[in-house]
Amino acid sequence: MVRRNRARSSSLFLMELIIAILFFSASSAVCVEFFVKSHLMSNDSNALNHAVNECTGAAEIINTADSVENSVNMMKRLYPNGSYPDIQTDMKYADITIYYNDTFSQCISQDAVYTFTLHMELKDQMVEADMQIVSSDSGTNIYELSTKHHIARRTGYEER
């Protein structure tokens, strides 16, 4: 009779142990899901931060230039791996494409994870620029920015 009690108590302990293991495995699965989501959100916010910095940097370049041609020249010096139009005098528009890898370093188009496109157009002494950064693998738009810059007419003694 003593043996039957031990068998009952050991089977009860075994059931309790199995239930505890199931509970901890379910809770660990939920925790792993939270860690994965937080990692993905961190990567997305990192990409957004870099995209905002690149777009505002390009907007500052456009705002300091006094023509579309000068903007393209400055962009060429700062972003040498980009795709640029041929420079012409009295340029009315320009389309620029710059490629970035996963760490937002400039790269060639074959290694690109992010693509920065910039369209500048001269309209009535205003340079209008539309820029956006797109994820190359998913095609999602990460950030876009539009800016306008008035080009003042200068006299000969006011040249920069």
Side-chain angles (χ1 to χ4, degrees):
M1 193 155 177
V2 173
R3 285 189 172 177
R4 281 190 172 172
N5 275 346
R6 284 187 182 168
R8 287 183 187 166
S9 66
S10 66
S11 66
L12 185 62
F13 176 72
L14 185 60
M15 286 298 277
E16 185 180 338
L17 188 62
I18 289 171
I19 291 173
I21 290 172
L22 287 175
F23 173 74
F24 284 117
S25 63
S27 62
S28 67
V30 170
C31 289
V32 167
E33 185 179 339
F34 285 144
F35 284 124
V36 168
K37 282 194 177 205
S38 69
H39 177 70
L40 293 175
M41 287 176 65
S42 174
N43 287 346
D44 290 346
S45 66
N46 189 25
L48 178 62
N49 188 30
H50 283 291
V52 168
N53 288 339
E54 293 300 323
C55 286
T56 54
E60 289 298 323
I61 290 170
I62 293 165
N63 287 337
T64 58
D66 55 0
S67 68
V68 173
E69 177 185 352
N70 287 347
S71 297
V72 171
N73 284 331
M74 282 191 258
M75 293 288 286
K76 270 188 178 179
R77 281 192 301 253
L78 292 172
Y79 303 102
N81 292 334
S83 158
Y84 297 96
D86 294 331
I87 301 294
Q88 303 166 0
T89 56
D90 296 332
M91 287 181 78
K92 299 293 181 193
Y93 69 92
D95 290 317
I96 298 172
T97 306
I98 302 169
Y99 303 101
Y100 295 99
N101 62 12
D102 57 346
T103 60
F104 266 87
S105 299
Q106 293 180 50
C107 66
I108 57 175
S109 63
Q110 291 81 10
D111 300 333
V113 176
Y114 302 104
T115 304
F116 173 74
T117 56
L118 170 65
H119 174 76
M120 287 184 287
E121 192 169 346
L122 181 64
K123 293 181 182 176
D124 299 326
Q125 292 301 104
M126 295 284 287
V127 175
E128 296 180 5
D130 296 316
M131 55 196 92
Q132 66 179 355
I133 294 188
V134 176
S135 175
S136 299
D137 53 351
S138 66
T140 57
N141 190 7
I142 296 175
Y143 187 73
E144 62 183 54
L145 178 68
S146 297
T147 185
K148 293 181 181 180
H149 172 64
H150 182 263
I151 298 174
R153 296 181 189 201
R154 299 179 185 274
T155 58
Y157 65 88
E158 293 177 325
E159 292 292 325
R160 290 185 184 181

